[in-house]
Amino acid sequence: MNTESATMKNTAVFKIVGAAAAALLLNACGGGGLSSATTSATSFNLQQGMSGLVTNGQSSAVTLSGTVVVSGTSVPFTGSGTLTLNAASSATFNGEGALAQTETISGTITAEGQSATYSSAAVDYYATGDYALLGETTSSEYDVAPSAFTYPASVTAGSSGVLGTTSDYTDSSMNTPAGTTQFSYAVTAQSGSTTAVSVAITEQIYDTGSNLLQTDVTSYSLSDAGVLTLVSASVQNSSESLTVTVH
């Protein structure tokens, strides 16, 4: 009986953690990363950085950590894996031509002395001309930006603002609303550097009643040459947290 309970509990842990990873990738998917201390007057091109990351992609080894609540108990987990942003390819989204970037995370998670492998995937869609975000999909969600939005072409340390919002549905039929997601950004200085800044993209996910369900933050480093590199990401809701950090 005790053995059965332990097995069921660990299975639940891995199922929940896998869901958290999928949510992270969808919202793309701040966990911290880079400290802010040096102020720079240099202007940085965030739109150029994002379009370059979409065009070229990125693949990195990552560490995983976080907690989940199982049967009323908070259970910590750790792990490692690979996060891959594929180079964008031509696709169709919501009836129009688009660029699709597939995001995947795969690895091994350990919780309560038990290990399991997992993988999850999501796809972000961008406009072919200006790389405006059109929407995002997973196997259980279809999110569409009523007004596609781009990232600022000029930011400095201290810049922040709302980027846009997606209307979220359970599938591509868009018959069943799931809520909304608001995207915002914040730029901070990097300690000891005047040639790069830290950029945090925050996504606040709401249900159909406008109740905040989850907050996801993806942290990047943006150089003065317009190169954007993913540094870390996090997902946080009432029952679980996940932080992914690039080695």
Side-chain angles (χ1 to χ4, degrees), residues 30-47:
L34 302 169
S35 61
S36 56
T38 302
T39 302
S40 172
T42 304
S43 176
F44 298 83
N45 193 330
L46 180 55
Q47 176 61 23

Side-chain angles (χ1 to χ4, degrees), residues 5-228:
S5 297
T7 301
M8 290 176 65
K9 188 173 183 181
N10 285 318
T11 299
V13 169
F14 296 130
K15 181 177 180 180
I16 294 171
V17 171
L24 169 65
L25 288 174
L26 167 65
N27 298 313
C29 149
L34 302 169
S35 61
S36 56
T38 302
T39 302
S40 172
T42 304
S43 176
F44 298 83
N45 193 330
L46 180 55
Q47 176 61 23
Q48 178 184 343
M50 187 61 69
S51 62
L53 187 59
V54 171
T55 299
N56 301 313
Q58 178 181 339
S59 181
S60 302
V62 294
T63 57
L64 311 171
S65 62
T67 59
V68 292
V69 175
V70 181
S71 301
T73 302
S74 180
V75 178
F77 64 86
T78 58
S80 61
T82 302
L83 180 119
T84 302
L85 305 177
N86 289 341
S89 59
S90 297
T92 300
F93 177 73
N94 198 28
E96 62 180 294
L99 295 172
Q101 181 173 55
T102 300
E103 310 173 9
T104 61
I105 185 170
S106 59
T108 302
I109 301 170
T110 301
E112 294 192 322
Q114 300 292 319
S115 297
T117 59
Y118 75 89
S119 62
S120 58
V123 183
D124 293 335
Y125 293 90
Y126 299 88
T128 56
D130 58 4
Y131 291 88
L133 182 68
L134 301 174
E136 306 171 324
T137 64
T138 67
S139 59
S140 60
E141 197 162 325
Y142 192 87
D143 304 341
V144 179
S147 297
F149 57 87
T150 59
Y151 295 82
S154 178
V155 298
T156 60
S159 297
S160 63
V162 174
L163 294 165
T165 302
T166 60
S167 298
D168 306 339
Y169 303 90
T170 57
D171 57 44
S172 60
S173 69
M174 296 191 288
N175 291 326
T176 306
T180 60
T181 300
Q182 183 185 77
F183 292 70
S184 61
Y185 75 97
V187 183
T188 55
Q190 286 187 22
S191 179
S193 176
T194 58
T195 60
V197 289
S198 299
V199 179
I201 305 298
T202 299
E203 298 166 48
Q204 293 177 296
I205 303 168
Y206 299 87
D207 64 16
T208 54
S210 299
N211 300 301
L212 180 63
L213 297 177
Q214 183 167 293
T215 299
D216 301 347
V217 184
T218 307
S219 297
Y220 303 89
S221 176
L222 176 63
S223 75
D224 56 3
V227 177
L228 189 68

